[in-house]
Every structure is written in structure tokens, then in C-alpha cells.
Amino acid sequence: MAVPEENQIEKINLLIVEDDREMRESFSMYFSRDAKQFAAVYAFESAEELLAAKSLPKAVVMLLDINLPGMSGIDAIPLLKEKFAGPEILMISVLSDSQSVFSAICAGASGYIDKETPLPAIKDAIVQVREGGSPITPAIARKVFDYFQPKKETSNGL
């Protein structure tokens, strides 16, 4: 009987929620080919479709788009966390405005990357989230740091 290594990480069950069909299929095919790290990959076109699913694994990482038809990814986070017993949620979006970033973080996202991120880096981010990290792309990190920097007061000459 083989004994698993102490620091061996369990394979990832990945749930993808992306409304762009080509992107969703690209993500699914790419991550499905890595049987070493991914136990299963499921893809959904909307948050409602995922929430309606009956039999899915409990310990999951979700790759969740913000701009979805119907319920937004941000609005779905609390419902998904409740239904799936606290999944790790990695937001992926073309939206990188401060409001979207902070709303996702406040709703419970574990990380935030933009859709321009190459697939290998997205895979690394998923693994980081599964291992307890909170990956964010450099542009998103800059928004977080800018938010917390002291605001410079400008003199209007009066």
C-alpha cells in the first residue's frame, strides 16, 4: 500500500465559469490535458448554470469571470461559497477597474487575474490558489497599492 507524500497536494477539481464559448473551451481543453494536477475540469456558461448543477465535487477551485450574462461573477461569489462549502475562487476578467477588483475581493475572491494572462500563468495561479496563495497580476496589484497610498493634495493656487 503506497503512502502519499506528506506535502503532496491533492489534485484540483476545477470549475470554469466563462460566457465566451471559445475562451471557455480553450480553458477546458488546456486544463483537462494536465491529469497530473487536475482531477476534473467542468465548464459553465453562467453562474446560474453552475448553481443549478446537481452533482459536482465539493473541494474545488473556480475560475470565475466577472462579466457574465445574468448574475455577475461578483454577485455569485457568496452563493458559490455557500453551495460548494468554501471553494477557492480565482477571478478572471477584462475588467481591471478598482471597483471591480475591490468588490471581488470583498465578496470573497482568493485571487484576481486579467484575461490577457497566458494559459501557463493562469494554471500557475490556479495551483497557487489551491495551495493557499492569492495570485494577482501586476496591473491589479498596482491598483491595490495605489488605493492604499496616501493621496497627494494638490494646491489650486488660491
Side-chain angles (χ1 to χ4, degrees):
M1 181 158 138
V3 178
E5 292 180 27
E6 187 174 316
N7 55 356
Q8 181 180 359
I9 300 292
E10 186 178 328
K11 288 184 180 182
I12 299 168
N13 290 306
L14 179 64
L15 305 182
I16 300 165
V17 184
E18 169 60 61
D19 62 315
D20 181 291
R21 185 180 58 79
E22 284 184 33
M23 189 164 280
R24 184 176 61 249
E25 289 174 359
S26 175
F27 287 156
S28 291
M29 287 187 331
Y30 180 78
F31 299 121
S32 293
R33 287 190 302 236
D34 186 350
K36 181 179 174 189
Q37 293 192 69
F38 295 93
V41 176
Y42 303 87
F44 302 89
E45 130 175 60
S46 69
E48 290 87 350
E49 183 183 8
L50 173 55
L51 287 164
K54 298 291 182 213
S55 60
L56 292 171
K58 295 292 183 200
V60 298
V61 174
M62 294 182 184
L63 187 60
L64 180 62
D65 187 15
I66 288 181
N67 251 355
L68 295 168
M71 183 185 307
S72 78
I74 293 170
D75 291 338
I77 292 172
L79 300 171
L80 294 170
K81 285 203 169 259
E82 182 178 319
K83 177 173 180 154
F84 293 98
E88 296 294 339
I89 298 176
L90 178 61
M91 303 306 292
I92 186 164
S93 183
V94 295
L95 300 175
S96 61
D97 61 283
S98 297
Q99 185 60 45
S100 295
V101 173
F102 286 105
S103 294
I105 292 169
C106 289
S110 301
Y112 197 114
I113 58 176
D114 60 53
K115 286 189 178 179
E116 299 293 317
T117 306
L119 285 170
I122 294 173
K123 180 167 49 172
D124 290 344
I126 292 167
V127 172
Q128 287 175 18
V129 164
R130 177 69 168 100
E131 293 175 350
S134 291
I136 56 176
T137 51
I140 302 300
R142 183 59 187 238
K143 291 197 179 295
V144 173
F145 279 93
D146 285 349
Y147 179 83
F148 288 104
Q149 297 294 319
K151 306 294 183 250
K152 293 182 181 177
E153 297 205 19
T154 57
S155 172
N156 62 7
L158 295 178

